[in-house]
Amino acid sequence: MSGHALSRYQETEVNAMSAPQRVVFLYSHLLSTLHQTGRLAASRSFEEYGRKLLRAQTIVQELLVSLDHEAGGDLAGQLAALYGYFLAELIALSVRPEPDRLGRLTLLVRELHEAWQKAAEQVAAPETVRVMA
């Protein structure tokens, strides 16, 4: 499969996901990117480190713009503030790599990833029961 065809396939797959699945997908990629960033900083591959930080920023921006402030109310506002914090941390890390700072950010993202996974499973569970009934 060519790179362009693979990209279109992946885009189609993402578009077919439910909103909670897309959030989990984005958090999974963010977490993976942060882990890669940590390894790159440790190996002093700073050019690739910078690219990974930009990728992480893009993912956080996607999470930010996907918030539904009307339906999400206060929670959407709180998540927007948290994503703003994530972006500020990623920018600070691009200026000065700090393993402890990256570790704290990765831990927060991991905790949110786990929470979103559980929420997505709970939302999907009633659909599975209905299909089986």
Side-chain angles (χ1 to χ4, degrees):
M1 186 179 293
S2 74
H4 184 65
L6 180 60
S7 177
R8 282 189 314 206
Y9 172 78
Q10 290 171 332
E11 184 178 334
T12 301
E13 187 177 350
V14 169
N15 288 336
M17 292 177 183
S18 68
Q21 289 171 324
R22 269 193 301 275
V23 171
V24 171
F25 175 81
L26 288 169
Y27 268 101
S28 295
H29 281 277
L30 178 57
L31 194 54
S32 173
T33 301
L34 291 174
H35 285 299
Q36 292 169 18
T37 302
R39 286 192 299 273
L40 289 164
S43 69
R44 305 188 60 77
S45 301
F46 293 115
E47 187 174 328
E48 186 62 22
Y49 169 86
R51 280 195 287 271
K52 290 297 178 183
L53 282 175
L54 285 174
R55 176 71 181 133
Q57 289 175 33
T58 301
I59 295 168
V60 173
Q61 289 168 343
E62 181 63 31
L63 287 164
L64 184 59
V65 300
S66 68
L67 289 173
D68 183 343
H69 289 274
E70 191 171 308
D74 288 341
L75 179 58
Q78 292 170 354
L79 285 170
L82 184 60
Y83 296 157
Y85 168 76
F86 287 177
L87 287 170
E89 288 296 286
L90 290 166
I91 291 166
L93 286 165
S94 69
V95 173
R96 182 170 176 212
E98 296 179 42
D100 290 342
R101 189 176 212 161
L102 180 60
R104 286 189 303 272
L105 179 61
T106 303
L107 179 61
L108 283 171
V109 170
R110 180 181 301 117
E111 289 173 358
L112 284 167
H113 177 251
E114 290 171 5
W116 279 108
Q117 277 183 314
K118 288 177 186 173
E121 289 168 7
Q122 289 175 352
V123 169
E127 293 174 13
T128 305
V129 171
R130 277 186 260 146
V131 171
M132 296 174 67

